[in-house]
Each structure stands twice: as C-alpha cells, then as structure tokens.
Amino acid sequence: MKRLIRLTINDRFFEVAVEPNQTLVDLLRYQLGMTGTKKGCELGDCGSCTVILDGKAVNSCLVLAMQADGRTIQTIEGLETENGLHPVQKAFVEKGAIQCGFCSSGMILSAKALLDENPNPDDLQIRSALSGNLCRCTGYQKIIEAVKSAAQSENTRCTCQRSTGSGENP
Ligand code: FES
Ligand code: FES
C-alpha cells in the first residue's frame, strides 16, 4: 500500500505517495522525472545513482523512497544556479573528465559531498571518496584532476570573499 512521504529535493518541497519497495532512484527518475540520476547496476556497485542525502553521498538504488521521508536530497539537477554551472561541474568539463557522461552525475555529487566536508583533499582522499563510483571511459586521472581543480577554485573564491569582506555565499 502506498504511503505519503514529504521530502526536500534541490530546495523544493515534495509530497509524494510511494510504494513500500520503491527505491529512491526510481522515485527520482520515474515519478519525479529527475533523470540526471542514472541507474546502472542497482546493486550499490557502480555509483551512477549517487545523490547527496542529508549531506552525505549515497547510492540511491540502496535507499528506499520511504527512508527519505523528512530528509533533504540534492541531485545533479540542483547544482547549477543562475550564476552557471557549479565549480565541480565546470572543472569536470574543463579537465575533460566527462566522456560518455553516464558516471558523471554520481562522480560530481560524490566530489561535491567530499569538498563540502573537506575543501582541501589530497589525492588519496579524493580517490577514496570516489572509490564507489565506476567509470568505463576516463581512466580516472582526469576526474581526480577535476576535483583538485574544483577545490582550488572554491578556495580561491573563499579567499576573495574574505578579502572583499562581502560575507555572502555566491
Ligand atoms: S545503480 Fe546504484 S550503485 Fe549502481
Ligand atoms: S565518462 Fe563514461 S562511464 Fe564515466
């Protein structure tokens, strides 16, 4: 029997009826039309379904929609703002870290969750944060470079803000 859940996705409030066995990835893709979240293995192995749930990167194929009741989710659709692509998205494009793009949403969200928690990760920390995300195309090096570049651009931006004293997030 369906149950009503309430959740916030990309700063928008949703109230939706979900089946007990419905996964979060299926809710996002098929019920809410957010197809930026990809679905690969459905076993928690590939990371293509990664979203940020209450600040942590999770495989949305392993989360039941009901478990997201009352929680906050960020998907790839929520990263771009009126100012353009998120710095992590920009860095992936600029560093050639996207080829077929199937892994990119998950990679970018795992990278964002890492940088939110640790703005200056070293190579090992980046590799560890992305270890649950598989890519068939890039060989990973360009992805690691993109995450490092995004970290630098975010840090540069923070320094600018401090020096101008604007105190506002972009
Ligand atoms: S589809 Fe979720 S980890 Fe592969
Ligand atoms: S860019 Fe094709 S799977 Fe990663």
Side-chain angles (χ1 to χ4, degrees), residues 85 87-98 108 146:
L85 293 178
V88 179
Q89 290 176 303
K90 249 188 236 169
F92 268 64
V93 173
E94 285 166 5
K95 294 290 176 189
I98 297 174
I108 288 168

Side-chain angles (χ1 to χ4, degrees), residues 119-141:
N120 283 306
D122 59 28
D123 277 29
L124 200 62
Q125 289 166 327
I126 295 172
R127 284 179 189 279
S128 162
L130 299 183
S131 61
N133 294 82
L134 303 183
C135 178
R136 294 165 302 181
C137 309
T138 67
Y140 298 99
Q141 191 51 40

Side-chain angles (χ1 to χ4, degrees), residues 46 58 71 89 156 158 170:
C46 73
V58 299
R71 303 175 77 180
Q89 290 176 303
T156 308
C158 289

Side-chain angles (χ1 to χ4, degrees), residues 47-48 50 76 79 85-115 121 126-127 129-131 133-154:
S48 61
T50 302
I76 197 71
L79 284 200
L85 293 178
H86 185 278
V88 179
Q89 290 176 303
K90 249 188 236 169
F92 268 64
V93 173
E94 285 166 5
K95 294 290 176 189
I98 297 174
Q99 288 187 30
C100 81
F102 193 80
C103 71
S104 305
S105 319
M107 286 283 184
I108 288 168
L109 288 165
S110 290
K112 182 185 184 294
L114 167 69
L115 295 179
I126 295 172
R127 284 179 189 279
L130 299 183
S131 61
N133 294 82
L134 303 183
C135 178
R136 294 165 302 181
C137 309
T138 67
Y140 298 99
Q141 191 51 40
K142 287 177 187 300
I143 291 173
I144 309 296
E145 282 166 21
V147 179
K148 281 201 276 195
S149 166
Q152 278 158 12
S153 75
E154 293 223 292

Side-chain angles (χ1 to χ4, degrees), residues 32-89:
L32 301 178
M34 298 182 190
T35 54
T37 304
K38 301 302 178 206
K39 193 160 102 163
C41 66
E42 294 185 72
L43 293 169
D45 286 337
C46 73
S48 61
C49 65
T50 302
V51 299
I52 300 178
L53 175 66
D54 290 342
K56 300 277 177 211
V58 299
N59 291 325
S60 61
C61 69
L62 297 184
V63 177
L64 289 173
M66 280 184 177
Q67 291 175 299
D69 191 13
R71 303 175 77 180
T72 298
I73 291 157
Q74 191 161 37
T75 71
I76 197 71
E77 287 90 349
L79 284 200
E80 189 176 359
T81 66
E82 68 273 14
N83 297 324
L85 293 178
H86 185 278
V88 179
Q89 290 176 303

